[in-house]
PDB file of all heavy atoms in Angstrom:
ATOM      1  N   MET R 289       8.604   2.853  13.592  1.00 76.00           N
ATOM      2  CA  MET R 289       8.532   3.187  12.175  1.00 76.00           C
ATOM      3  C   MET R 289       7.811   2.108  11.384  1.00 76.00           C
ATOM      4  O   MET R 289       7.083   2.403  10.420  1.00 76.00           O
ATOM      5  CB  MET R 289       9.935   3.419  11.613  1.00 76.00           C
ATOM      6  CG  MET R 289       9.961   3.857  10.160  1.00 76.00           C
ATOM      7  SD  MET R 289       9.065   5.400   9.837  1.00 76.00           S
ATOM      8  CE  MET R 289      10.286   6.614  10.346  1.00 76.00           C
ATOM      9  N   PHE R 290       7.960   0.853  11.779  1.00 77.00           N
ATOM     10  CA  PHE R 290       7.309  -0.215  11.033  1.00 77.00           C
ATOM     11  C   PHE R 290       5.788  -0.168  11.186  1.00 77.00           C
ATOM     12  O   PHE R 290       5.065  -0.673  10.327  1.00 77.00           O
ATOM     13  CB  PHE R 290       7.861  -1.585  11.426  1.00 77.00           C
ATOM     14  CG  PHE R 290       9.032  -2.011  10.586  1.00 77.00           C
ATOM     15  CD1 PHE R 290      10.286  -2.167  11.142  1.00 77.00           C
ATOM     16  CD2 PHE R 290       8.878  -2.230   9.225  1.00 77.00           C
ATOM     17  CE1 PHE R 290      11.377  -2.541  10.360  1.00 77.00           C
ATOM     18  CE2 PHE R 290       9.949  -2.605   8.433  1.00 77.00           C
ATOM     19  CZ  PHE R 290      11.204  -2.764   9.000  1.00 77.00           C
ATOM     20  N   THR R 291       5.288   0.439  12.260  1.00 74.00           N
ATOM     21  CA  THR R 291       3.850   0.656  12.360  1.00 74.00           C
ATOM     22  C   THR R 291       3.386   1.496  11.187  1.00 74.00           C
ATOM     23  O   THR R 291       2.362   1.219  10.551  1.00 74.00           O
ATOM     24  CB  THR R 291       3.503   1.373  13.677  1.00 74.00           C
ATOM     25  OG1 THR R 291       3.895   0.542  14.775  1.00 74.00           O
ATOM     26  CG2 THR R 291       2.012   1.668  13.761  1.00 74.00           C
ATOM     27  N   MET R 292       4.166   2.515  10.891  1.00 70.00           N
ATOM     28  CA  MET R 292       3.859   3.387   9.767  1.00 70.00           C
ATOM     29  C   MET R 292       4.100   2.680   8.443  1.00 70.00           C
ATOM     30  O   MET R 292       3.297   2.756   7.517  1.00 70.00           O
ATOM     31  CB  MET R 292       4.728   4.640   9.871  1.00 70.00           C
ATOM     32  CG  MET R 292       4.453   5.695   8.845  1.00 70.00           C
ATOM     33  SD  MET R 292       5.457   7.157   9.190  1.00 70.00           S
ATOM     34  CE  MET R 292       4.876   8.272   7.913  1.00 70.00           C
ATOM     35  N   MET R 293       5.208   1.943   8.366  1.00 74.00           N
ATOM     36  CA  MET R 293       5.593   1.343   7.093  1.00 74.00           C
ATOM     37  C   MET R 293       4.673   0.206   6.683  1.00 74.00           C
ATOM     38  O   MET R 293       4.395   0.027   5.493  1.00 74.00           O
ATOM     39  CB  MET R 293       7.038   0.872   7.161  1.00 74.00           C
ATOM     40  CG  MET R 293       8.042   2.005   7.206  1.00 74.00           C
ATOM     41  SD  MET R 293       9.748   1.436   7.262  1.00 74.00           S
ATOM     42  CE  MET R 293       9.928   0.780   5.597  1.00 74.00           C
ATOM     43  N   ASN R 294       4.162  -0.586   7.634  1.00 73.00           N
ATOM     44  CA  ASN R 294       3.271  -1.683   7.266  1.00 73.00           C
ATOM     45  C   ASN R 294       1.963  -1.160   6.687  1.00 73.00           C
ATOM     46  O   ASN R 294       1.431  -1.705   5.719  1.00 73.00           O
ATOM     47  CB  ASN R 294       3.018  -2.591   8.466  1.00 73.00           C
ATOM     48  CG  ASN R 294       4.215  -3.488   8.772  1.00 73.00           C
ATOM     49  OD1 ASN R 294       5.031  -3.763   7.907  1.00 73.00           O
ATOM     50  ND2 ASN R 294       4.321  -3.924  10.003  1.00 73.00           N
ATOM     51  N   HIS R 295       1.428  -0.067   7.302  1.00 80.00           N
ATOM     52  CA  HIS R 295       0.265   0.572   6.706  1.00 80.00           C
ATOM     53  C   HIS R 295       0.626   1.130   5.334  1.00 80.00           C
ATOM     54  O   HIS R 295      -0.135   1.003   4.371  1.00 80.00           O
ATOM     55  CB  HIS R 295      -0.246   1.704   7.608  1.00 80.00           C
ATOM     56  CG  HIS R 295      -1.079   1.246   8.754  1.00 80.00           C
ATOM     57  ND1 HIS R 295      -0.544   0.667   9.875  1.00 80.00           N
ATOM     58  CD2 HIS R 295      -2.422   1.274   8.960  1.00 80.00           C
ATOM     59  CE1 HIS R 295      -1.517   0.360  10.725  1.00 80.00           C
ATOM     60  NE2 HIS R 295      -2.660   0.722  10.188  1.00 80.00           N
ATOM     61  N   ALA R 296       1.811   1.746   5.273  1.00 86.00           N
ATOM     62  CA  ALA R 296       2.234   2.373   4.018  1.00 86.00           C
ATOM     63  C   ALA R 296       2.410   1.337   2.921  1.00 86.00           C
ATOM     64  O   ALA R 296       2.086   1.588   1.750  1.00 86.00           O
ATOM     65  CB  ALA R 296       3.529   3.154   4.235  1.00 86.00           C
ATOM     66  N   ARG R 297       2.931   0.156   3.247  1.00 93.00           N
ATOM     67  CA  ARG R 297       3.163  -0.861   2.219  1.00 93.00           C
ATOM     68  C   ARG R 297       1.859  -1.390   1.645  1.00 93.00           C
ATOM     69  O   ARG R 297       1.779  -1.681   0.451  1.00 93.00           O
ATOM     70  CB  ARG R 297       4.033  -1.985   2.790  1.00 93.00           C
ATOM     71  CG  ARG R 297       5.489  -1.566   2.879  1.00 93.00           C
ATOM     72  CD  ARG R 297       6.373  -2.549   3.601  1.00 93.00           C
ATOM     73  NE  ARG R 297       7.754  -2.079   3.566  1.00 93.00           N
ATOM     74  CZ  ARG R 297       8.738  -2.552   4.315  1.00 93.00           C
ATOM     75  NH1 ARG R 297       8.505  -3.536   5.172  1.00 93.00           N
ATOM     76  NH2 ARG R 297       9.951  -2.054   4.222  1.00 93.00           N
ATOM     77  N   LEU R 298       0.832  -1.526   2.473  1.00 95.00           N
ATOM     78  CA  LEU R 298      -0.459  -1.917   1.918  1.00 95.00           C
ATOM     79  C   LEU R 298      -1.010  -0.782   1.061  1.00 95.00           C
ATOM     80  O   LEU R 298      -1.604  -1.021   0.006  1.00 95.00           O
ATOM     81  CB  LEU R 298      -1.446  -2.278   3.035  1.00 95.00           C
ATOM     82  CG  LEU R 298      -2.801  -2.813   2.556  1.00 95.00           C
ATOM     83  CD1 LEU R 298      -2.629  -4.047   1.683  1.00 95.00           C
ATOM     84  CD2 LEU R 298      -3.710  -3.139   3.740  1.00 95.00           C
ATOM     85  N   GLY R 299      -0.763   0.463   1.505  1.00 95.00           N
ATOM     86  CA  GLY R 299      -1.174   1.602   0.698  1.00 95.00           C
ATOM     87  C   GLY R 299      -0.463   1.647  -0.643  1.00 95.00           C
ATOM     88  O   GLY R 299      -1.054   2.006  -1.666  1.00 95.00           O
ATOM     89  N   VAL R 300       0.807   1.277  -0.664  1.00 97.00           N
ATOM     90  CA  VAL R 300       1.556   1.251  -1.916  1.00 97.00           C
ATOM     91  C   VAL R 300       1.067   0.098  -2.806  1.00 97.00           C
ATOM     92  O   VAL R 300       0.978   0.240  -4.027  1.00 97.00           O
ATOM     93  CB  VAL R 300       3.071   1.149  -1.658  1.00 97.00           C
ATOM     94  CG1 VAL R 300       3.838   0.949  -2.957  1.00 97.00           C
ATOM     95  CG2 VAL R 300       3.568   2.413  -0.957  1.00 97.00           C
ATOM     96  N   ALA R 301       0.749  -1.037  -2.204  1.00 98.00           N
ATOM     97  CA  ALA R 301       0.135  -2.131  -2.976  1.00 98.00           C
ATOM     98  C   ALA R 301      -1.122  -1.622  -3.670  1.00 98.00           C
ATOM     99  O   ALA R 301      -1.357  -1.915  -4.856  1.00 98.00           O
ATOM    100  CB  ALA R 301      -0.198  -3.306  -2.054  1.00 98.00           C
ATOM    101  N   MET R 302      -1.912  -0.843  -2.944  1.00 98.00           N
ATOM    102  CA  MET R 302      -3.123  -0.254  -3.510  1.00 98.00           C
ATOM    103  C   MET R 302      -2.781   0.676  -4.676  1.00 98.00           C
ATOM    104  O   MET R 302      -3.531   0.758  -5.651  1.00 98.00           O
ATOM    105  CB  MET R 302      -3.885   0.493  -2.415  1.00 98.00           C
ATOM    106  CG  MET R 302      -5.109   1.258  -2.880  1.00 98.00           C
ATOM    107  SD  MET R 302      -4.674   2.934  -3.379  1.00 98.00           S
ATOM    108  CE  MET R 302      -4.122   3.631  -1.850  1.00 98.00           C
ATOM    109  N   GLN R 303      -1.630   1.356  -4.612  1.00 98.00           N
ATOM    110  CA  GLN R 303      -1.250   2.235  -5.721  1.00 98.00           C
ATOM    111  C   GLN R 303      -0.990   1.439  -7.003  1.00 98.00           C
ATOM    112  O   GLN R 303      -1.273   1.924  -8.106  1.00 98.00           O
ATOM    113  CB  GLN R 303      -0.013   3.051  -5.345  1.00 98.00           C
ATOM    114  CG  GLN R 303      -0.292   4.119  -4.298  1.00 98.00           C
ATOM    115  CD  GLN R 303       0.959   4.870  -3.883  1.00 98.00           C
ATOM    116  OE1 GLN R 303       2.083   4.483  -4.209  1.00 98.00           O
ATOM    117  NE2 GLN R 303       0.775   5.946  -3.147  1.00 98.00           N
ATOM    118  N   GLY R 304      -0.452   0.228  -6.867  1.00 98.00           N
ATOM    119  CA  GLY R 304      -0.302  -0.624  -8.043  1.00 98.00           C
ATOM    120  C   GLY R 304      -1.643  -0.902  -8.685  1.00 98.00           C
ATOM    121  O   GLY R 304      -1.801  -0.847  -9.919  1.00 98.00           O
ATOM    122  N   LEU R 305      -2.638  -1.200  -7.848  1.00 98.00           N
ATOM    123  CA  LEU R 305      -4.007  -1.395  -8.330  1.00 98.00           C
ATOM    124  C   LEU R 305      -4.570  -0.104  -8.919  1.00 98.00           C
ATOM    125  O   LEU R 305      -5.162  -0.113 -10.009  1.00 98.00           O
ATOM    126  CB  LEU R 305      -4.878  -1.875  -7.164  1.00 98.00           C
ATOM    127  CG  LEU R 305      -6.383  -1.595  -7.213  1.00 98.00           C
ATOM    128  CD1 LEU R 305      -7.028  -2.340  -8.359  1.00 98.00           C
ATOM    129  CD2 LEU R 305      -7.029  -1.959  -5.874  1.00 98.00           C
ATOM    130  N   SER R 306      -4.395   1.005  -8.219  1.00 98.00           N
ATOM    131  CA  SER R 306      -5.069   2.246  -8.601  1.00 98.00           C
ATOM    132  C   SER R 306      -4.591   2.770  -9.948  1.00 98.00           C
ATOM    133  O   SER R 306      -5.397   3.237 -10.765  1.00 98.00           O
ATOM    134  CB  SER R 306      -4.880   3.311  -7.513  1.00 98.00           C
ATOM    135  OG  SER R 306      -3.545   3.765  -7.456  1.00 98.00           O
TER     136      SER R 306
END
Side-chain angles (χ1 to χ4, degrees):
M289 184 59 81
F290 270 115
T291 298
M292 185 175 183
M293 290 181 70
N294 285 336
H295 280 76
R297 283 172 177 166
L298 185 58
V300 173
M302 175 271 295
Q303 289 177 349
L305 154 65
S306 70

